[in-house]
mmCIF file of all heavy atoms in Angstrom:
data_model
loop_
_atom_site.group_PDB
_atom_site.id
_atom_site.type_symbol
_atom_site.label_atom_id
_atom_site.label_comp_id
_atom_site.label_asym_id
_atom_site.label_seq_id
_atom_site.Cartn_x
_atom_site.Cartn_y
_atom_site.Cartn_z
ATOM 1 N N LEU A 102 92.883 158.503 114.344
ATOM 2 C CA LEU A 102 91.895 159.633 114.599
ATOM 3 C C LEU A 102 91.256 159.535 115.945
ATOM 4 O O LEU A 102 91.185 160.484 116.593
ATOM 5 C CB LEU A 102 90.834 159.550 113.331
ATOM 6 C CG LEU A 102 89.720 160.644 113.553
ATOM 7 C CD1 LEU A 102 90.305 162.012 113.476
ATOM 8 C CD2 LEU A 102 88.685 160.470 112.497
ATOM 9 N N TYR A 103 90.976 158.275 116.304
ATOM 10 C CA TYR A 103 90.462 158.084 117.686
ATOM 11 C C TYR A 103 91.543 157.283 118.370
ATOM 12 O O TYR A 103 92.198 156.349 117.871
ATOM 13 C CB TYR A 103 89.223 157.038 117.734
ATOM 14 C CG TYR A 103 87.984 157.778 117.262
ATOM 15 C CD1 TYR A 103 86.799 157.108 117.103
ATOM 16 C CD2 TYR A 103 87.988 159.095 116.781
ATOM 17 C CE1 TYR A 103 85.588 157.697 116.750
ATOM 18 C CE2 TYR A 103 86.815 159.735 116.414
ATOM 19 C CZ TYR A 103 85.598 159.086 116.277
ATOM 20 O OH TYR A 103 84.508 159.567 115.894
ATOM 21 N N LYS A 104 92.044 157.783 119.512
ATOM 22 C CA LYS A 104 93.169 157.272 120.319
ATOM 23 C C LYS A 104 92.864 156.063 121.098
ATOM 24 O O LYS A 104 91.817 155.862 121.679
ATOM 25 C CB LYS A 104 93.719 158.362 121.212
ATOM 26 C CG LYS A 104 93.976 159.743 120.593
ATOM 27 C CD LYS A 104 94.969 159.575 119.320
ATOM 28 C CE LYS A 104 95.214 160.973 118.668
ATOM 29 N NZ LYS A 104 96.097 160.818 117.519
ATOM 30 N N THR A 105 93.761 155.121 121.057
ATOM 31 C CA THR A 105 93.775 153.968 121.927
ATOM 32 C C THR A 105 95.175 153.485 122.244
ATOM 33 O O THR A 105 96.183 153.776 121.543
ATOM 34 C CB THR A 105 93.019 152.827 121.322
ATOM 35 O OG1 THR A 105 92.727 151.810 122.254
ATOM 36 C CG2 THR A 105 93.774 152.208 120.217
ATOM 37 N N GLN A 106 95.300 152.740 123.422
ATOM 38 C CA GLN A 106 96.621 152.285 123.720
ATOM 39 C C GLN A 106 97.068 151.109 122.857
ATOM 40 O O GLN A 106 96.305 150.276 122.510
ATOM 41 C CB GLN A 106 96.615 151.799 125.223
ATOM 42 C CG GLN A 106 97.943 151.381 125.779
ATOM 43 C CD GLN A 106 97.942 150.984 127.273
ATOM 44 O OE1 GLN A 106 96.814 151.320 128.019
ATOM 45 N NE2 GLN A 106 98.946 150.413 127.755
ATOM 46 N N LEU A 107 98.328 151.131 122.369
ATOM 47 C CA LEU A 107 98.885 150.124 121.534
ATOM 48 C C LEU A 107 99.798 149.187 122.276
ATOM 49 O O LEU A 107 100.375 149.532 123.232
ATOM 50 C CB LEU A 107 99.637 150.743 120.414
ATOM 51 C CG LEU A 107 98.802 151.722 119.502
ATOM 52 C CD1 LEU A 107 99.738 152.444 118.510
ATOM 53 C CD2 LEU A 107 97.764 150.953 118.865
ATOM 54 N N PRO A 108 99.885 147.896 121.880
ATOM 55 C CA PRO A 108 99.154 147.344 120.819
ATOM 56 C C PRO A 108 97.672 147.227 121.087
ATOM 57 O O PRO A 108 97.331 147.023 122.301
ATOM 58 C CB PRO A 108 99.905 145.968 120.569
ATOM 59 C CG PRO A 108 100.466 145.615 121.929
ATOM 60 C CD PRO A 108 100.750 147.004 122.546
ATOM 61 N N ALA A 109 96.837 147.094 120.071
ATOM 62 C CA ALA A 109 95.445 146.982 120.344
ATOM 63 C C ALA A 109 94.847 146.006 119.316
ATOM 64 O O ALA A 109 95.230 145.862 118.178
ATOM 65 C CB ALA A 109 94.803 148.368 120.122
ATOM 66 N N THR A 110 93.768 145.359 119.795
ATOM 67 C CA THR A 110 92.939 144.497 118.955
ATOM 68 C C THR A 110 91.714 145.322 118.552
ATOM 69 O O THR A 110 90.993 145.838 119.441
ATOM 70 C CB THR A 110 92.536 143.146 119.678
ATOM 71 O OG1 THR A 110 93.603 142.441 120.099
ATOM 72 C CG2 THR A 110 91.637 142.384 118.739
ATOM 73 N N LEU A 111 91.533 145.516 117.220
ATOM 74 C CA LEU A 111 90.494 146.388 116.682
ATOM 75 C C LEU A 111 89.149 145.733 116.900
ATOM 76 O O LEU A 111 88.935 144.465 117.295
ATOM 77 C CB LEU A 111 90.698 146.695 115.240
ATOM 78 C CG LEU A 111 91.930 147.540 115.005
ATOM 79 C CD1 LEU A 111 92.064 147.651 113.442
ATOM 80 C CD2 LEU A 111 91.926 148.856 115.622
ATOM 81 N N GLY A 112 88.071 146.504 116.674
ATOM 82 C CA GLY A 112 86.661 145.977 116.601
ATOM 83 C C GLY A 112 85.878 146.282 117.811
ATOM 84 O O GLY A 112 86.281 146.120 118.928
ATOM 85 N N LEU A 113 84.592 146.646 117.489
ATOM 86 C CA LEU A 113 83.655 146.984 118.505
ATOM 87 C C LEU A 113 82.325 146.201 118.501
ATOM 88 O O LEU A 113 81.429 146.652 119.226
ATOM 89 C CB LEU A 113 83.392 148.560 118.409
ATOM 90 C CG LEU A 113 84.488 149.490 118.743
ATOM 91 C CD1 LEU A 113 84.194 150.970 118.229
ATOM 92 C CD2 LEU A 113 84.764 149.514 120.265
ATOM 93 N N GLU A 114 82.287 145.189 117.683
ATOM 94 C CA GLU A 114 81.028 144.519 117.536
ATOM 95 C C GLU A 114 81.168 143.079 117.188
ATOM 96 O O GLU A 114 82.023 142.774 116.287
ATOM 97 C CB GLU A 114 80.171 145.228 116.415
ATOM 98 C CG GLU A 114 78.886 144.650 116.001
ATOM 99 C CD GLU A 114 78.318 145.389 114.929
ATOM 100 O OE1 GLU A 114 78.957 145.812 113.930
ATOM 101 O OE2 GLU A 114 77.120 145.672 114.886
ATOM 102 N N GLY A 115 80.402 142.240 117.771
ATOM 103 C CA GLY A 115 80.534 140.839 117.432
ATOM 104 C C GLY A 115 79.288 140.013 118.020
ATOM 105 O O GLY A 115 78.587 140.472 118.724
ATOM 106 N N ALA A 116 79.318 138.740 117.542
ATOM 107 C CA ALA A 116 78.216 137.840 118.004
ATOM 108 C C ALA A 116 78.878 136.416 118.144
ATOM 109 O O ALA A 116 79.729 136.090 117.415
ATOM 110 C CB ALA A 116 77.074 137.819 117.046
ATOM 111 N N GLY A 117 78.322 135.731 119.056
ATOM 112 C CA GLY A 117 78.862 134.350 119.240
ATOM 113 C C GLY A 117 78.218 133.680 120.396
ATOM 114 O O GLY A 117 77.077 133.821 120.659
ATOM 115 N N VAL A 118 78.979 132.775 120.986
ATOM 116 C CA VAL A 118 78.554 131.904 122.129
ATOM 117 C C VAL A 118 79.324 132.038 123.303
ATOM 118 O O VAL A 118 80.594 132.121 123.256
ATOM 119 C CB VAL A 118 78.572 130.447 121.528
ATOM 120 C CG1 VAL A 118 78.096 129.392 122.683
ATOM 121 C CG2 VAL A 118 77.739 130.225 120.307
ATOM 122 N N VAL A 119 78.735 132.129 124.459
ATOM 123 C CA VAL A 119 79.270 132.146 125.725
ATOM 124 C C VAL A 119 79.983 130.826 126.041
ATOM 125 O O VAL A 119 79.358 129.786 125.967
ATOM 126 C CB VAL A 119 78.352 132.442 126.867
ATOM 127 C CG1 VAL A 119 79.001 132.439 128.249
ATOM 128 C CG2 VAL A 119 77.696 133.860 126.662
ATOM 129 N N LEU A 120 81.295 130.950 126.354
ATOM 130 C CA LEU A 120 82.151 129.757 126.735
ATOM 131 C C LEU A 120 82.149 129.563 128.188
ATOM 132 O O LEU A 120 82.208 128.504 128.738
ATOM 133 C CB LEU A 120 83.414 129.843 126.105
ATOM 134 C CG LEU A 120 83.587 129.840 124.624
ATOM 135 C CD1 LEU A 120 85.110 129.898 124.125
ATOM 136 C CD2 LEU A 120 82.910 128.548 124.018
ATOM 137 N N ALA A 121 82.338 130.753 129.004
ATOM 138 C CA ALA A 121 82.486 130.685 130.457
ATOM 139 C C ALA A 121 82.134 132.003 131.003
ATOM 140 O O ALA A 121 82.090 132.965 130.244
ATOM 141 C CB ALA A 121 83.932 130.332 130.772
ATOM 142 N N VAL A 122 81.653 132.008 132.175
ATOM 143 C CA VAL A 122 81.415 133.248 132.924
ATOM 144 C C VAL A 122 82.174 133.341 134.210
ATOM 145 O O VAL A 122 82.536 132.308 134.749
ATOM 146 C CB VAL A 122 79.846 133.422 133.144
ATOM 147 C CG1 VAL A 122 79.128 133.489 131.829
ATOM 148 C CG2 VAL A 122 79.353 132.371 134.070
ATOM 149 N N GLY A 123 82.384 134.514 134.676
ATOM 150 C CA GLY A 123 83.139 134.732 135.950
ATOM 151 C C GLY A 123 82.165 134.884 137.148
ATOM 152 O O GLY A 123 80.935 134.598 136.848
ATOM 153 N N GLU A 124 82.615 135.081 138.232
ATOM 154 C CA GLU A 124 81.869 135.310 139.480
ATOM 155 C C GLU A 124 80.978 136.488 139.189
ATOM 156 O O GLU A 124 81.221 137.446 138.557
ATOM 157 C CB GLU A 124 82.670 135.444 140.626
ATOM 158 C CG GLU A 124 83.584 134.175 141.041
ATOM 159 C CD GLU A 124 84.371 134.379 142.280
ATOM 160 O OE1 GLU A 124 84.367 135.537 142.762
ATOM 161 O OE2 GLU A 124 85.221 133.487 142.561
ATOM 162 N N GLU A 125 79.771 136.505 139.876
ATOM 163 C CA GLU A 125 78.882 137.625 139.966
ATOM 164 C C GLU A 125 77.981 137.708 138.632
ATOM 165 O O GLU A 125 77.343 138.687 138.427
ATOM 166 C CB GLU A 125 79.610 138.994 140.165
ATOM 167 C CG GLU A 125 80.383 138.986 141.482
ATOM 168 C CD GLU A 125 81.246 140.321 141.566
ATOM 169 O OE1 GLU A 125 80.971 141.252 140.864
ATOM 170 O OE2 GLU A 125 82.120 140.232 142.447
ATOM 171 N N VAL A 126 78.125 136.714 137.738
ATOM 172 C CA VAL A 126 77.295 136.732 136.552
ATOM 173 C C VAL A 126 76.193 135.707 136.752
ATOM 174 O O VAL A 126 76.392 134.561 136.912
ATOM 175 C CB VAL A 126 78.127 136.414 135.320
ATOM 176 C CG1 VAL A 126 77.235 136.258 134.050
ATOM 177 C CG2 VAL A 126 79.321 137.348 135.098
ATOM 178 N N SER A 127 74.976 136.335 136.722
ATOM 179 C CA SER A 127 73.870 135.294 137.036
ATOM 180 C C SER A 127 72.897 135.197 135.927
ATOM 181 O O SER A 127 72.009 134.244 135.848
ATOM 182 C CB SER A 127 73.089 135.941 138.228
ATOM 183 O OG SER A 127 72.646 137.235 138.091
ATOM 184 N N ASP A 128 72.921 136.134 134.927
ATOM 185 C CA ASP A 128 71.992 136.053 133.812
ATOM 186 C C ASP A 128 72.542 135.481 132.467
ATOM 187 O O ASP A 128 71.832 135.552 131.467
ATOM 188 C CB ASP A 128 71.421 137.569 133.611
ATOM 189 C CG ASP A 128 72.466 138.506 133.262
ATOM 190 O OD1 ASP A 128 73.627 138.202 133.484
ATOM 191 O OD2 ASP A 128 72.085 139.607 132.723
ATOM 192 N N LEU A 129 73.762 135.077 132.491
ATOM 193 C CA LEU A 129 74.282 134.378 131.305
ATOM 194 C C LEU A 129 74.966 132.955 131.795
ATOM 195 O O LEU A 129 75.411 132.862 132.971
ATOM 196 C CB LEU A 129 75.423 135.208 130.726
ATOM 197 C CG LEU A 129 75.041 136.442 130.009
ATOM 198 C CD1 LEU A 129 76.344 137.253 129.588
ATOM 199 C CD2 LEU A 129 74.202 136.147 128.831
ATOM 200 N N ARG A 130 74.917 132.048 130.830
ATOM 201 C CA ARG A 130 75.618 130.741 131.124
ATOM 202 C C ARG A 130 76.200 130.287 129.862
ATOM 203 O O ARG A 130 75.844 130.654 128.800
ATOM 204 C CB ARG A 130 74.622 129.790 131.768
ATOM 205 C CG ARG A 130 73.454 129.489 130.816
ATOM 206 C CD ARG A 130 72.407 128.478 131.515
ATOM 207 N NE ARG A 130 71.340 128.202 130.662
ATOM 208 C CZ ARG A 130 70.303 127.495 131.076
ATOM 209 N NH1 ARG A 130 70.193 127.052 132.249
ATOM 210 N NH2 ARG A 130 69.227 127.138 130.151
ATOM 211 N N PRO A 131 77.167 129.321 129.942
ATOM 212 C CA PRO A 131 77.763 128.759 128.700
ATOM 213 C C PRO A 131 76.710 128.157 127.798
ATOM 214 O O PRO A 131 75.826 127.577 128.239
ATOM 215 C CB PRO A 131 78.697 127.643 129.352
ATOM 216 C CG PRO A 131 79.100 128.110 130.726
ATOM 217 C CD PRO A 131 77.826 128.880 131.250
ATOM 218 N N GLY A 132 76.981 128.559 126.507
ATOM 219 C CA GLY A 132 76.038 128.106 125.492
ATOM 220 C C GLY A 132 75.115 129.159 125.018
ATOM 221 O O GLY A 132 74.354 128.949 123.948
ATOM 222 N N ASP A 133 74.942 130.105 125.873
ATOM 223 C CA ASP A 133 73.978 131.257 125.441
ATOM 224 C C ASP A 133 74.527 131.890 124.176
ATOM 225 O O ASP A 133 75.710 132.187 124.022
ATOM 226 C CB ASP A 133 73.849 132.308 126.542
ATOM 227 C CG ASP A 133 72.934 131.910 127.664
ATOM 228 O OD1 ASP A 133 72.183 130.952 127.438
ATOM 229 O OD2 ASP A 133 72.944 132.541 128.736
ATOM 230 N N ARG A 134 73.613 132.263 123.226
ATOM 231 C CA ARG A 134 73.978 133.038 122.061
ATOM 232 C C ARG A 134 73.835 134.519 122.368
ATOM 233 O O ARG A 134 72.683 134.951 122.824
ATOM 234 C CB ARG A 134 73.027 132.683 120.873
ATOM 235 C CG ARG A 134 73.102 131.146 120.464
ATOM 236 C CD ARG A 134 72.195 130.917 119.300
ATOM 237 N NE ARG A 134 72.433 131.781 118.270
ATOM 238 C CZ ARG A 134 71.581 132.737 117.693
ATOM 239 N NH1 ARG A 134 70.518 133.029 118.430
ATOM 240 N NH2 ARG A 134 71.877 133.430 116.727
ATOM 241 N N VAL A 135 74.869 135.288 122.123
ATOM 242 C CA VAL A 135 74.873 136.677 122.556
ATOM 243 C C VAL A 135 75.470 137.522 121.469
ATOM 244 O O VAL A 135 76.145 137.097 120.472
ATOM 245 C CB VAL A 135 75.693 136.877 123.838
ATOM 246 C CG1 VAL A 135 75.001 136.249 125.022
ATOM 247 C CG2 VAL A 135 77.125 136.401 123.708
ATOM 248 N N ALA A 136 75.316 138.838 121.559
ATOM 249 C CA ALA A 136 75.849 139.873 120.781
ATOM 250 C C ALA A 136 76.215 141.135 121.567
ATOM 251 O O ALA A 136 75.649 141.312 122.613
ATOM 252 C CB ALA A 136 74.942 140.183 119.557
ATOM 253 N N TYR A 137 77.035 141.955 120.997
ATOM 254 C CA TYR A 137 77.409 143.256 121.778
ATOM 255 C C TYR A 137 77.823 144.280 120.647
ATOM 256 O O TYR A 137 78.165 143.914 119.489
ATOM 257 C CB TYR A 137 78.484 142.910 122.748
ATOM 258 C CG TYR A 137 79.900 142.604 122.099
ATOM 259 C CD1 TYR A 137 80.808 143.553 121.703
ATOM 260 C CD2 TYR A 137 80.143 141.253 121.815
ATOM 261 C CE1 TYR A 137 81.899 143.188 121.117
ATOM 262 C CE2 TYR A 137 81.331 140.959 121.228
ATOM 263 C CZ TYR A 137 82.219 141.865 120.788
ATOM 264 O OH TYR A 137 83.421 141.532 120.318
ATOM 265 N N ALA A 138 77.897 145.528 121.062
ATOM 266 C CA ALA A 138 78.425 146.514 120.185
ATOM 267 C C ALA A 138 78.891 147.703 121.035
ATOM 268 O O ALA A 138 78.335 147.936 122.219
ATOM 269 C CB ALA A 138 77.429 147.025 119.232
ATOM 270 N N GLY A 139 79.798 148.445 120.590
ATOM 271 C CA GLY A 139 80.253 149.643 121.243
ATOM 272 C C GLY A 139 81.487 149.500 122.117
ATOM 273 O O GLY A 139 81.871 150.565 122.758
ATOM 274 N N GLY A 140 82.074 148.389 122.226
ATOM 275 C CA GLY A 140 83.338 148.358 122.961
ATOM 276 C C GLY A 140 83.216 147.787 124.342
ATOM 277 O O GLY A 140 82.164 147.355 124.790
ATOM 278 N N PRO A 141 84.449 147.614 124.996
ATOM 279 C CA PRO A 141 85.676 148.218 124.434
ATOM 280 C C PRO A 141 86.261 147.487 123.203
ATOM 281 O O PRO A 141 85.693 146.432 122.838
ATOM 282 C CB PRO A 141 86.557 147.973 125.674
ATOM 283 C CG PRO A 141 86.057 146.788 126.375
ATOM 284 C CD PRO A 141 84.567 146.965 126.221
ATOM 285 N N LEU A 142 87.378 147.983 122.652
ATOM 286 C CA LEU A 142 88.002 147.362 121.547
ATOM 287 C C LEU A 142 88.284 145.916 121.858
ATOM 288 O O LEU A 142 88.557 145.531 122.994
ATOM 289 C CB LEU A 142 89.265 148.113 121.129
ATOM 290 C CG LEU A 142 89.141 149.478 120.508
ATOM 291 C CD1 LEU A 142 90.560 150.096 120.307
ATOM 292 C CD2 LEU A 142 88.377 149.458 119.229
ATOM 293 N N GLY A 143 88.378 145.058 120.825
ATOM 294 C CA GLY A 143 88.799 143.690 121.020
ATOM 295 C C GLY A 143 87.972 142.646 120.171
ATOM 296 O O GLY A 143 88.143 141.495 120.384
ATOM 297 N N ALA A 144 87.139 143.093 119.277
ATOM 298 C CA ALA A 144 86.222 142.217 118.516
ATOM 299 C C ALA A 144 86.980 141.413 117.482
ATOM 300 O O ALA A 144 86.572 140.257 117.151
ATOM 301 C CB ALA A 144 85.000 142.958 118.012
ATOM 302 N N TYR A 145 88.046 141.895 116.941
ATOM 303 C CA TYR A 145 88.734 141.189 115.821
ATOM 304 C C TYR A 145 89.559 140.067 116.479
ATOM 305 O O TYR A 145 90.735 140.039 116.289
ATOM 306 C CB TYR A 145 89.668 142.191 115.119
ATOM 307 C CG TYR A 145 89.008 143.178 114.180
ATOM 308 C CD1 TYR A 145 87.692 143.476 114.230
ATOM 309 C CD2 TYR A 145 89.846 143.799 113.157
ATOM 310 C CE1 TYR A 145 87.154 144.493 113.413
ATOM 311 C CE2 TYR A 145 89.236 144.687 112.320
ATOM 312 C CZ TYR A 145 87.923 145.113 112.467
ATOM 313 O OH TYR A 145 87.351 146.093 111.550
ATOM 314 N N ALA A 146 88.786 139.114 117.017
ATOM 315 C CA ALA A 146 89.573 137.938 117.699
ATOM 316 C C ALA A 146 88.615 136.756 117.677
ATOM 317 O O ALA A 146 87.382 136.903 117.559
ATOM 318 C CB ALA A 146 89.955 138.315 119.136
ATOM 319 N N THR A 147 89.210 135.516 117.717
ATOM 320 C CA THR A 147 88.371 134.306 117.645
ATOM 321 C C THR A 147 87.604 134.215 119.060
ATOM 322 O O THR A 147 86.573 133.756 119.039
ATOM 323 C CB THR A 147 89.248 133.062 117.422
ATOM 324 O OG1 THR A 147 90.336 133.146 118.338
ATOM 325 C CG2 THR A 147 89.822 133.151 115.984
ATOM 326 N N GLU A 148 88.252 134.592 120.128
ATOM 327 C CA GLU A 148 87.629 134.583 121.468
ATOM 328 C C GLU A 148 88.024 135.908 122.158
ATOM 329 O O GLU A 148 89.083 136.515 121.893
ATOM 330 C CB GLU A 148 88.090 133.417 122.202
ATOM 331 C CG GLU A 148 87.660 132.098 121.583
ATOM 332 C CD GLU A 148 88.220 130.795 122.364
ATOM 333 O OE1 GLU A 148 88.933 131.070 123.443
ATOM 334 O OE2 GLU A 148 88.064 129.656 121.842
#
């Protein structure tokens, strides 16, 4: 009903722990507890 490119990992919402951050990220660090919602798709995964 809603289109997405296949193959796709489903899911738009999750919570967990930051393992690593890329360049230009200053307000998060490994170990922070975080959550998100709204996408992009990809929440149905262990990482």
Side-chain angles (χ1 to χ4, degrees):
L102 178 62
Y103 290 178
K104 307 301 180 185
T105 189
Q106 186 174 349
L107 300 176
T110 301
L111 294 177
L113 292 167
E114 175 181 41
V118 178
V119 175
L120 296 180
V122 298
E124 298 177 0
E125 303 173 15
V126 178
S127 59
D128 57 346
L129 290 175
R130 61 185 180 182
D133 284 344
R134 299 177 57 251
V135 294
Y137 66 90
L142 289 176
Y145 285 20
T147 54
E148 297 176 4

